[in-house]
Amino acid sequence: MPTSKIYSIRPYFPEDEPAVYKICREMYNEDIEGVPFPEQPDLIGDRLVGGFLTLSPDYGFVLEDNEGICGYALGTVDVKPFVKKCKMSWIPSMQEKYNKPDSEKDLSEAEKMMLSFHEEEEGLPESFLSNFPSLIKVDIHGKVTDPSVAKSMMGCLLSSIKANGSHGAFCEVRQNDKRMLDFYSKLGCFEVAKMEGFPKGVILMGRSL
């Protein structure tokens, strides 16, 4: 007899960080056998979610089943002050943790990620941020097959940032990341923003609140 899994959504706590990092690492590239970047086990989490967990933990939610945490939804109400905080505290700590690779040579995926901590990121156009001031990041482990669970968790996050004054949210997806493009598309209401001046290789998907 198939059994229906019970899922619960709750606020993020600091002690959840290792579990969130683990999901982030496992779902980063499902095509890689084994753990990606075994020499730097925290690298993917540090790059994709660490700033949220450290600087904007109040807007974090986790999804749990009977085996533990299996998804997360993270965000920040206004990305502009968040980026400033990252530049002042999070990025310098990452530059200490990861040496700058030699950009003259062919870099591995891990080295490219490390290099990103040492390079100035392109800012987003004001015309975009005035409509979508909130940055979000959501992911769910591949073992979670019920799509309504992701929608519920996304709903918690969007309600939280809307209650704190936001009128639009966006997410950043790597251009070649078909899984995440499908994921956000299926959640509904997220549309690809086509505008000049966006970072190359990144697709921005936004929705009004």
Side-chain angles (χ1 to χ4, degrees):
M1 289 282 291
T3 55
S4 173
K5 273 208 164 187
I6 305 292
Y7 295 100
S8 61
I9 298 165
R10 63 164 174 80
Y12 167 82
F13 297 119
E15 56 267 28
D16 298 327
E17 184 182 291
V20 171
Y21 266 49
K22 184 170 184 283
I23 294 167
C24 189
R25 187 168 62 241
E26 288 178 358
M27 300 312 296
Y28 177 74
N29 191 340
E30 294 176 288
D31 300 331
I32 294 178
E33 284 192 23
V35 179
F37 317 152
E39 288 85 27
Q40 292 90 17
D42 289 344
L43 179 57
I44 293 169
D46 283 341
R47 182 71 187 93
L48 299 180
V49 298
F52 287 109
L53 301 182
T54 304
L55 302 173
S56 190
D58 295 347
Y59 298 99
F61 295 89
V62 294
L63 178 71
E64 282 186 308
D65 62 13
N66 57 353
E67 294 170 5
I69 291 173
C70 51
Y72 58 82
L74 311 171
T76 182
V77 171
D78 189 341
V79 73
K80 285 191 282 188
F82 173 72
V83 167
K84 276 185 187 163
K85 278 197 224 166
C86 279
K87 285 180 178 174
M88 287 172 64
S89 58
W90 180 250
I91 297 296
S93 68
M94 292 299 100
Q95 289 172 340
E96 283 183 23
K97 186 172 179 178
Y98 301 108
N99 291 330
K100 184 178 181 180
D102 178 4
S103 54
E104 297 297 309
K105 65 183 183 81
D106 282 342
L107 298 178
S108 66
E109 280 300 308
E111 287 171 324
K112 285 177 190 170
M113 210 172 264
M114 285 187 251
L115 184 62
S116 68
F117 288 121
H118 296 270
E119 294 184 326
E120 188 73 22
E121 283 205 353
E122 293 176 61
L124 295 173
E126 185 58 43
S127 53
F128 177 80
L129 293 179
S130 61
N131 291 315
F132 306 106
S134 301
L135 174 62
I136 64 167
K137 170 83 180 156
V138 179
D139 208 351
I140 287 183
H141 200 281
K143 68 179 182 177
V144 180
T145 53
D146 181 352
S148 68
V149 175
K151 281 194 172 177
S152 298
M153 187 168 64
M154 176 73 84
C156 291
L157 174 59
L158 295 179
S159 296
S160 175
I161 58 177
K162 184 178 181 180
N164 283 276
S166 177
H167 56 266
F170 75 97
C171 53
E172 300 177 327
V173 185
R174 287 175 295 144
Q175 210 161 7
N176 58 358
D177 193 343
K178 185 177 180 304
R179 183 183 73 88
M180 286 313 294
L181 287 170
D182 288 348
F183 176 77
Y184 282 113
S185 298
K186 282 176 186 164
L187 286 176
C189 302
F190 275 87
E191 293 185 4
V192 176
K194 293 182 174 69
M195 290 175 70
E196 293 299 311
F198 286 156
K200 289 184 179 64
V202 173
I203 292 175
L204 300 185
M205 304 180 80
R207 64 165 287 174
S208 299
L209 300 178

